[in-house]
């Protein structure tokens, strides 16, 4: 991801070294794509492998009210569709919220940006200390999907788009609807999509690409897929915080795939929370805790390719959030929620 790219709009006040394209502010020289057709313009930033024709087609659908089309293109990107005739703007990141969008109300109307800290600085908003304390207490941010860690700045949850019209902002659910298939029936399609995405990213990187290889399922899958289309330089953490079996598996996967493999020895300087990131994330996140460890093993990946494949996040998805249990209760499945809470409590030796 290009960390220098950010987008903003609405009542956002332009700062130095910025320019406006189709009603959207961004840094001067940022890599953005504009596709315009009459009064409808689509600005895209991030990794989008769609053609201008495909982007224009999707922008037309969004302008017609089919908002869910905004996330259907190949890649991980932000898109802002501006319809001058209807005086409406639709903004969205990806379904996983890797490309996040934030919004706030001001006296001059709603404002939005892809960088929460930048938006907070402009509006003079500080951290929401009560929310941060609550997140620490329940070990999850999933209970408050619309809240950011900044006071008065809302988060557009993953799978939602922000619609600005008539001087107001609202979120719209753009997640794909269930089609009746079971998990087993959909597994093959998910696997094929994951494989295709990893290979598309690897091809886009050029002749070679760097990648994490922890020895786990997620990073190993990415490395094996990428190795089929590009030269892979894999990096692993092998220090005291690594699982010995995982490191052995990483070596075996690298040998099987025939990729260059670097294992960092780690050491006392890789402990959690030992160093603060040089580039701050848009909101406090777990990568902050492992920054020192990441900086240690990722050293061998520097300068290899413009992007880095990673398996980070897979375990987070599998572990889910305690908010899932709240959702079960809200859906009337109290017995199922109670069983899930009790099972986890037993694993961590706590009271349900």
């Amino acid at each position: 991801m290009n960390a220098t790219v950010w987008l903003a709009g609405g009542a956002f006040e332009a700062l130095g070294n910025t320019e406006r394209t189709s009603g959207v502010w961004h840094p001067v020289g940022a890599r953005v794509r504009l596709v315009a057709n009459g009064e409808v313009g689509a600005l895209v930033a991030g990794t989008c492998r769609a053609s201008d024709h495909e982007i224009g087609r999707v922008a037309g659908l969004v302008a017609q009210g089919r908002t869910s089309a905004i996330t259907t293109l190949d890649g991980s990107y932000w898109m802002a569709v501006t319809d001058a005739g209807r005086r409406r703007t639709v903004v969205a990141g990806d379904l996983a919220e890797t490309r996040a969008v934030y919004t706030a109300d001001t006296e001059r109307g709603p404002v939005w940006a892809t960088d929460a800290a930048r938006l907070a600085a402009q509006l003079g908003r500080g951290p929401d200390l009560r929310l941060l304390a609550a997140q620490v207490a329940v070990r999850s941010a999933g209970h408050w999907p619309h809240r950011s860690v900044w006071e008065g700045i809302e988060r557009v949850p993953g799978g939602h788009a922000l619609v600005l019209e008539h001087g107001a902002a609202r979120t719209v659910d753009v997640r794909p609807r269930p089609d009746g298939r079971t998990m087993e029936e959909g597994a093959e399609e998910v696997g094929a999509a994951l494989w295709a995405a990893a290979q598309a990213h690897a091809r886009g990187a050029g002749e070679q690409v760097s990648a994490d290889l922890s020895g786990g399922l997620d990073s190993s899958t990415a490395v094996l897929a990428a190795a089929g289309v590009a030269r892979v330089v894999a990096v692993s953490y092998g220090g005291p915080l690594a699982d010995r079996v995982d490191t052995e598996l990483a070596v075996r996967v690298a040998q099987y795939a025939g990729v260059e493999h670097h294992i960092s020895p780690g050491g006392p300087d890789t402990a959690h929370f030992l160093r603060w990131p040089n580039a701050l994330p848009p909101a406090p996140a777990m990568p902050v805790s492992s920054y020192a460890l990441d900086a240690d093993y990722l050293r061998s990946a520097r300068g290899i390719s413009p992007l880095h494949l990673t398996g980070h996040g897979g375990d987070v998805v599998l572990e889910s959030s305690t908010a899932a249990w709240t959702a079960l209760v809200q859906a009337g499945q109290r017995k199922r929620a109670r069983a899930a809470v009790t099972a986890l409590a037993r694993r961590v030796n706590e009271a349900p």
Side-chain angles (χ1 to χ4, degrees), residues 1-28:
M1 183 184 300
N2 188 342
T4 64
V5 176
W6 55 266
L7 307 176
F12 188 84
E13 295 180 6
L15 304 176
N17 200 35
T18 61
E19 58 183 329
R20 200 177 190 188
T21 303
S22 189
V24 178
W25 292 103
H26 57 81
V28 172

mmCIF file of all heavy atoms in Angstrom, residues 1-28:
data_model
loop_
_atom_site.group_PDB
_atom_site.id
_atom_site.type_symbol
_atom_site.label_atom_id
_atom_site.label_comp_id
_atom_site.label_asym_id
_atom_site.label_seq_id
_atom_site.Cartn_x
_atom_site.Cartn_y
_atom_site.Cartn_z
ATOM 1 N N MET A 1 0.846 -1.181 0.000
ATOM 2 C CA MET A 1 0.000 0.000 0.000
ATOM 3 C C MET A 1 0.887 1.238 0.000
ATOM 4 O O MET A 1 1.869 1.291 0.737
ATOM 5 C CB MET A 1 -0.899 -0.009 1.244
ATOM 6 C CG MET A 1 -1.877 1.165 1.299
ATOM 7 S SD MET A 1 -2.820 1.175 2.848
ATOM 8 C CE MET A 1 -3.644 -0.400 2.751
ATOM 9 N N ASN A 2 0.549 2.247 -0.794
ATOM 10 C CA ASN A 2 1.293 3.490 -0.827
ATOM 11 C C ASN A 2 0.822 4.366 0.324
ATOM 12 O O ASN A 2 -0.259 4.925 0.304
ATOM 13 C CB ASN A 2 1.068 4.199 -2.165
ATOM 14 C CG ASN A 2 1.969 5.412 -2.319
ATOM 15 O OD1 ASN A 2 2.507 5.923 -1.342
ATOM 16 N ND2 ASN A 2 2.135 5.852 -3.547
ATOM 17 N N ALA A 3 1.680 4.487 1.378
ATOM 18 C CA ALA A 3 1.268 5.185 2.589
ATOM 19 C C ALA A 3 1.086 6.676 2.363
ATOM 20 O O ALA A 3 0.498 7.370 3.187
ATOM 21 C CB ALA A 3 2.289 4.936 3.699
ATOM 22 N N THR A 4 1.631 7.223 1.271
ATOM 23 C CA THR A 4 1.532 8.664 1.040
ATOM 24 C C THR A 4 0.200 9.049 0.405
ATOM 25 O O THR A 4 -0.103 10.231 0.301
ATOM 26 C CB THR A 4 2.673 9.126 0.121
ATOM 27 O OG1 THR A 4 2.541 8.507 -1.163
ATOM 28 C CG2 THR A 4 4.025 8.771 0.710
ATOM 29 N N VAL A 5 -0.580 8.082 -0.024
ATOM 30 C CA VAL A 5 -1.853 8.384 -0.686
ATOM 31 C C VAL A 5 -2.963 8.498 0.348
ATOM 32 O O VAL A 5 -3.167 7.597 1.161
ATOM 33 C CB VAL A 5 -2.214 7.294 -1.714
ATOM 34 C CG1 VAL A 5 -3.584 7.567 -2.308
ATOM 35 C CG2 VAL A 5 -1.173 7.252 -2.816
ATOM 36 N N TRP A 6 -3.668 9.613 0.320
ATOM 37 C CA TRP A 6 -4.875 9.767 1.116
ATOM 38 C C TRP A 6 -5.859 10.585 0.294
ATOM 39 O O TRP A 6 -5.475 11.364 -0.585
ATOM 40 C CB TRP A 6 -4.600 10.428 2.467
ATOM 41 C CG TRP A 6 -3.902 11.762 2.383
ATOM 42 C CD1 TRP A 6 -2.566 11.993 2.468
ATOM 43 C CD2 TRP A 6 -4.513 13.048 2.177
ATOM 44 N NE1 TRP A 6 -2.301 13.329 2.331
ATOM 45 C CE2 TRP A 6 -3.473 14.000 2.146
ATOM 46 C CE3 TRP A 6 -5.834 13.473 2.013
ATOM 47 C CZ2 TRP A 6 -3.713 15.368 1.960
ATOM 48 C CZ3 TRP A 6 -6.080 14.826 1.823
ATOM 49 C CH2 TRP A 6 -5.021 15.760 1.813
ATOM 50 N N LEU A 7 -7.128 10.391 0.569
ATOM 51 C CA LEU A 7 -8.186 11.101 -0.140
ATOM 52 C C LEU A 7 -9.077 11.795 0.878
ATOM 53 O O LEU A 7 -9.207 11.339 2.015
ATOM 54 C CB LEU A 7 -9.023 10.136 -0.978
ATOM 55 C CG LEU A 7 -8.296 9.215 -1.958
ATOM 56 C CD1 LEU A 7 -9.283 8.266 -2.625
ATOM 57 C CD2 LEU A 7 -7.536 10.015 -2.998
ATOM 58 N N ALA A 8 -9.691 12.897 0.479
ATOM 59 C CA ALA A 8 -10.601 13.607 1.372
ATOM 60 C C ALA A 8 -11.587 14.412 0.543
ATOM 61 O O ALA A 8 -11.316 14.757 -0.611
ATOM 62 C CB ALA A 8 -9.831 14.531 2.326
ATOM 63 N N GLY A 9 -12.739 14.708 1.134
ATOM 64 C CA GLY A 9 -13.741 15.467 0.401
ATOM 65 C C GLY A 9 -14.798 16.038 1.319
ATOM 66 O O GLY A 9 -14.656 16.026 2.539
ATOM 67 N N GLY A 10 -15.866 16.524 0.747
ATOM 68 C CA GLY A 10 -16.898 17.189 1.530
ATOM 69 C C GLY A 10 -16.405 18.551 1.972
ATOM 70 O O GLY A 10 -15.816 19.302 1.184
ATOM 71 N N ALA A 11 -16.583 18.855 3.246
ATOM 72 C CA ALA A 11 -16.179 20.154 3.779
ATOM 73 C C ALA A 11 -14.718 20.187 4.201
ATOM 74 O O ALA A 11 -14.313 21.008 5.007
ATOM 75 C CB ALA A 11 -17.066 20.517 4.964
ATOM 76 N N PHE A 12 -13.914 19.303 3.651
ATOM 77 C CA PHE A 12 -12.487 19.226 3.989
ATOM 78 C C PHE A 12 -11.774 20.490 3.526
ATOM 79 O O PHE A 12 -12.000 20.984 2.423
ATOM 80 C CB PHE A 12 -11.865 18.000 3.310
ATOM 81 C CG PHE A 12 -10.455 17.713 3.736
ATOM 82 C CD1 PHE A 12 -10.201 16.997 4.891
ATOM 83 C CD2 PHE A 12 -9.375 18.156 2.986
ATOM 84 C CE1 PHE A 12 -8.905 16.721 5.292
ATOM 85 C CE2 PHE A 12 -8.073 17.888 3.374
ATOM 86 C CZ PHE A 12 -7.844 17.168 4.533
ATOM 87 N N GLU A 13 -10.898 21.024 4.378
ATOM 88 C CA GLU A 13 -10.131 22.214 4.041
ATOM 89 C C GLU A 13 -8.782 21.808 3.466
ATOM 90 O O GLU A 13 -8.021 21.071 4.098
ATOM 91 C CB GLU A 13 -9.924 23.087 5.283
ATOM 92 C CG GLU A 13 -11.220 23.652 5.849
ATOM 93 C CD GLU A 13 -10.968 24.516 7.067
ATOM 94 O OE1 GLU A 13 -9.791 24.756 7.391
ATOM 95 O OE2 GLU A 13 -11.949 24.941 7.700
ATOM 96 N N ALA A 14 -8.483 22.288 2.258
ATOM 97 C CA ALA A 14 -7.244 21.919 1.587
ATOM 98 C C ALA A 14 -6.041 22.455 2.345
ATOM 99 O O ALA A 14 -6.046 23.580 2.831
ATOM 100 C CB ALA A 14 -7.244 22.442 0.158
ATOM 101 N N LEU A 15 -5.006 21.645 2.441
ATOM 102 C CA LEU A 15 -3.760 22.043 3.068
ATOM 103 C C LEU A 15 -2.698 22.226 1.990
ATOM 104 O O LEU A 15 -2.970 22.087 0.796
ATOM 105 C CB LEU A 15 -3.321 20.981 4.078
ATOM 106 C CG LEU A 15 -4.359 20.638 5.163
ATOM 107 C CD1 LEU A 15 -3.850 19.499 6.032
ATOM 108 C CD2 LEU A 15 -4.662 21.851 6.013
ATOM 109 N N GLY A 16 -1.486 22.538 2.400
ATOM 110 C CA GLY A 16 -0.411 22.703 1.437
ATOM 111 C C GLY A 16 -0.068 21.411 0.724
ATOM 112 O O GLY A 16 -0.292 20.315 1.241
ATOM 113 N N ASN A 17 0.441 21.542 -0.486
ATOM 114 C CA ASN A 17 0.882 20.408 -1.302
ATOM 115 C C ASN A 17 -0.253 19.436 -1.607
ATOM 116 O O ASN A 17 -0.069 18.221 -1.647
ATOM 117 C CB ASN A 17 2.028 19.658 -0.608
ATOM 118 C CG ASN A 17 2.828 18.807 -1.591
ATOM 119 O OD1 ASN A 17 3.016 19.179 -2.747
ATOM 120 N ND2 ASN A 17 3.303 17.658 -1.135
ATOM 121 N N THR A 18 -1.464 19.964 -1.815
ATOM 122 C CA THR A 18 -2.610 19.132 -2.182
ATOM 123 C C THR A 18 -3.234 19.671 -3.463
ATOM 124 O O THR A 18 -3.031 20.823 -3.843
ATOM 125 C CB THR A 18 -3.682 19.123 -1.075
ATOM 126 O OG1 THR A 18 -4.161 20.459 -0.869
ATOM 127 C CG2 THR A 18 -3.126 18.573 0.218
ATOM 128 N N GLU A 19 -3.978 18.822 -4.114
ATOM 129 C CA GLU A 19 -4.715 19.233 -5.297
ATOM 130 C C GLU A 19 -6.056 18.514 -5.310
ATOM 131 O O GLU A 19 -6.262 17.528 -4.600
ATOM 132 C CB GLU A 19 -3.929 18.932 -6.576
ATOM 133 C CG GLU A 19 -3.560 17.478 -6.773
ATOM 134 C CD GLU A 19 -2.716 17.279 -8.022
ATOM 135 O OE1 GLU A 19 -2.906 18.043 -8.980
ATOM 136 O OE2 GLU A 19 -1.877 16.357 -8.045
ATOM 137 N N ARG A 20 -6.976 19.011 -6.140
ATOM 138 C CA ARG A 20 -8.330 18.464 -6.169
ATOM 139 C C ARG A 20 -8.619 17.882 -7.534
ATOM 140 O O ARG A 20 -8.388 18.518 -8.559
ATOM 141 C CB ARG A 20 -9.330 19.567 -5.849
ATOM 142 C CG ARG A 20 -10.685 19.067 -5.386
ATOM 143 C CD ARG A 20 -11.573 20.239 -5.026
ATOM 144 N NE ARG A 20 -12.792 19.816 -4.347
ATOM 145 C CZ ARG A 20 -13.784 20.620 -4.059
ATOM 146 N NH1 ARG A 20 -13.705 21.914 -4.378
ATOM 147 N NH2 ARG A 20 -14.852 20.172 -3.439
ATOM 148 N N THR A 21 -9.129 16.659 -7.540
ATOM 149 C CA THR A 21 -9.492 15.982 -8.776
ATOM 150 C C THR A 21 -10.910 15.463 -8.646
ATOM 151 O O THR A 21 -11.201 14.673 -7.751
ATOM 152 C CB THR A 21 -8.535 14.804 -9.075
ATOM 153 O OG1 THR A 21 -7.192 15.286 -9.121
ATOM 154 C CG2 THR A 21 -8.881 14.147 -10.395
ATOM 155 N N SER A 22 -11.794 15.924 -9.505
ATOM 156 C CA SER A 22 -13.190 15.496 -9.489
ATOM 157 C C SER A 22 -13.809 15.642 -8.098
ATOM 158 O O SER A 22 -14.527 14.755 -7.628
ATOM 159 C CB SER A 22 -13.313 14.039 -9.967
ATOM 160 O OG SER A 22 -14.664 13.678 -10.157
ATOM 161 N N GLY A 23 -13.488 16.763 -7.436
ATOM 162 C CA GLY A 23 -14.073 17.041 -6.136
ATOM 163 C C GLY A 23 -13.411 16.348 -4.974
ATOM 164 O O GLY A 23 -13.880 16.451 -3.837
ATOM 165 N N VAL A 24 -12.294 15.634 -5.220
ATOM 166 C CA VAL A 24 -11.619 14.878 -4.168
ATOM 167 C C VAL A 24 -10.213 15.439 -3.962
ATOM 168 O O VAL A 24 -9.443 15.581 -4.922
ATOM 169 C CB VAL A 24 -11.536 13.377 -4.518
ATOM 170 C CG1 VAL A 24 -10.780 12.607 -3.436
ATOM 171 C CG2 VAL A 24 -12.941 12.795 -4.693
ATOM 172 N N TRP A 25 -9.864 15.759 -2.714
ATOM 173 C CA TRP A 25 -8.528 16.249 -2.398
ATOM 174 C C TRP A 25 -7.564 15.082 -2.218
ATOM 175 O O TRP A 25 -7.930 14.038 -1.690
ATOM 176 C CB TRP A 25 -8.551 17.074 -1.107
ATOM 177 C CG TRP A 25 -9.283 18.372 -1.219
ATOM 178 C CD1 TRP A 25 -10.538 18.655 -0.762
ATOM 179 C CD2 TRP A 25 -8.810 19.565 -1.837
ATOM 180 N NE1 TRP A 25 -10.874 19.945 -1.055
ATOM 181 C CE2 TRP A 25 -9.828 20.539 -1.715
ATOM 182 C CE3 TRP A 25 -7.625 19.919 -2.483
ATOM 183 C CZ2 TRP A 25 -9.707 21.826 -2.199
ATOM 184 C CZ3 TRP A 25 -7.494 21.211 -2.975
ATOM 185 C CH2 TRP A 25 -8.522 22.152 -2.830
ATOM 186 N N HIS A 26 -6.320 15.270 -2.642
ATOM 187 C CA HIS A 26 -5.271 14.271 -2.464
ATOM 188 C C HIS A 26 -3.919 14.968 -2.570
ATOM 189 O O HIS A 26 -3.830 16.106 -3.066
ATOM 190 C CB HIS A 26 -5.395 13.157 -3.508
ATOM 191 C CG HIS A 26 -5.364 13.649 -4.917
ATOM 192 N ND1 HIS A 26 -4.187 13.954 -5.593
ATOM 193 C CD2 HIS A 26 -6.374 13.923 -5.793
ATOM 194 C CE1 HIS A 26 -4.461 14.367 -6.819
ATOM 195 N NE2 HIS A 26 -5.784 14.361 -6.969
ATOM 196 N N PRO A 27 -2.829 14.323 -2.130
ATOM 197 C CA PRO A 27 -1.507 14.954 -2.225
ATOM 198 C C PRO A 27 -1.112 15.191 -3.684
ATOM 199 O O PRO A 27 -1.475 14.406 -4.569
ATOM 200 C CB PRO A 27 -0.577 13.929 -1.562
ATOM 201 C CG PRO A 27 -1.462 13.091 -0.718
ATOM 202 C CD PRO A 27 -2.769 13.025 -1.440
ATOM 203 N N VAL A 28 -0.363 16.245 -3.919
ATOM 204 C CA VAL A 28 0.147 16.511 -5.269
ATOM 205 C C VAL A 28 1.058 15.362 -5.684
ATOM 206 O O VAL A 28 1.923 14.924 -4.925
ATOM 207 C CB VAL A 28 0.929 17.841 -5.294
ATOM 208 C CG1 VAL A 28 1.634 18.029 -6.630
ATOM 209 C CG2 VAL A 28 -0.001 19.012 -5.016
#
